[in-house]
Amino acid sequence: LDGNNLESIPDQIAHLKKLKSLFLRNNKLTKLPEGLGLLQNLELLHISSNQLTALQHSISQCHSLKKIYANGNKIVNIPDKFFQHMENLVSCNLSNNQIKVLPLDFVEQFGHPIVTSGICKKDSDCTTTATIILEQNPVLCENQ
């Protein structure tokens, strides 16, 4: 569904229970359907280059997610405990958004982003293996 100038996605997408990959990049989406969290087999969510201002908490209910690409949007924050139950997550690209503040639980799980690269990788005891990319967000200026 890439590059179709879509402004919304119907809630009925939640009925696609076996869906593993969802490509919605280069559209005009301002929000995602809440039913997205019901896609328990979803492994890849590509929502970059849209008009999203928030990451719906329902995305965090997709426990099979391995990769999220949400770069190039207008996202202003990361919801509290957003990554808490995403045990399979390998990478999440949130670069080129408007994220100004990182929630405390995010910092505890991934640490502060490296100023030069905008990457958060592992916590001190190496229980977190996901790479979170935050470059080109205002949050990096605050952590210098």
Side-chain angles (χ1 to χ4, degrees):
L1 298 172
D2 287 347
N4 282 300
N5 292 319
L6 299 174
E7 295 180 6
S8 64
I9 300 297
D11 289 330
Q12 288 80 358
I13 197 164
H15 298 294
L16 302 174
K17 301 289 184 194
K18 295 185 180 184
L19 188 67
K20 288 192 171 210
S21 299
L22 183 55
F23 292 87
L24 296 170
R25 60 188 165 196
N26 299 313
N27 282 296
K28 297 179 179 178
L29 300 173
T30 56
K31 68 175 191 165
L32 298 171
E34 286 299 319
L36 202 64
L38 299 173
L39 299 175
Q40 293 301 304
N41 291 307
L42 191 65
E43 295 178 358
L44 171 65
L45 179 60
H46 209 317
I47 51 175
S48 63
S49 301
N50 278 286
Q51 304 296 314
L52 299 170
T53 57
L55 289 171
Q56 272 99 331
H57 202 272
S58 61
I59 295 170
S60 69
Q61 297 167 1
C62 298
H63 301 294
S64 296
L65 267 175
K66 294 180 181 177
K67 295 183 179 183
I68 302 171
Y69 297 93
N71 50 302
N73 281 289
K74 298 176 180 180
I75 298 167
V76 295
N77 65 19
I78 299 170
D80 289 338
K81 300 183 175 149
F82 184 77
F83 295 102
Q84 185 176 18
H85 298 292
M86 291 188 181
E87 293 89 14
N88 295 306
L89 191 68
V90 174
S91 66
C92 180
N93 189 339
L94 294 170
S95 64
N96 197 21
N97 277 291
Q98 300 300 315
I99 299 168
K100 295 179 182 173
V101 178
L102 297 174
L104 182 59
D105 64 282
F106 177 93
V107 175
E108 289 173 355
Q109 187 172 359
F110 299 105
H112 286 284
I114 299 168
V115 175
T116 55
S117 67
I119 294 176
C120 300
K121 202 162 189 164
K122 292 182 180 179
D123 61 6
S124 59
D125 61 0
C126 296
T127 58
T128 301
T129 57
T131 299
I132 312 296
I133 303 170
L134 289 165
E135 66 183 342
Q136 296 178 351
N137 276 289
V139 70
L140 297 180
C141 298
E142 294 176 10
N143 292 331
Q144 291 184 10

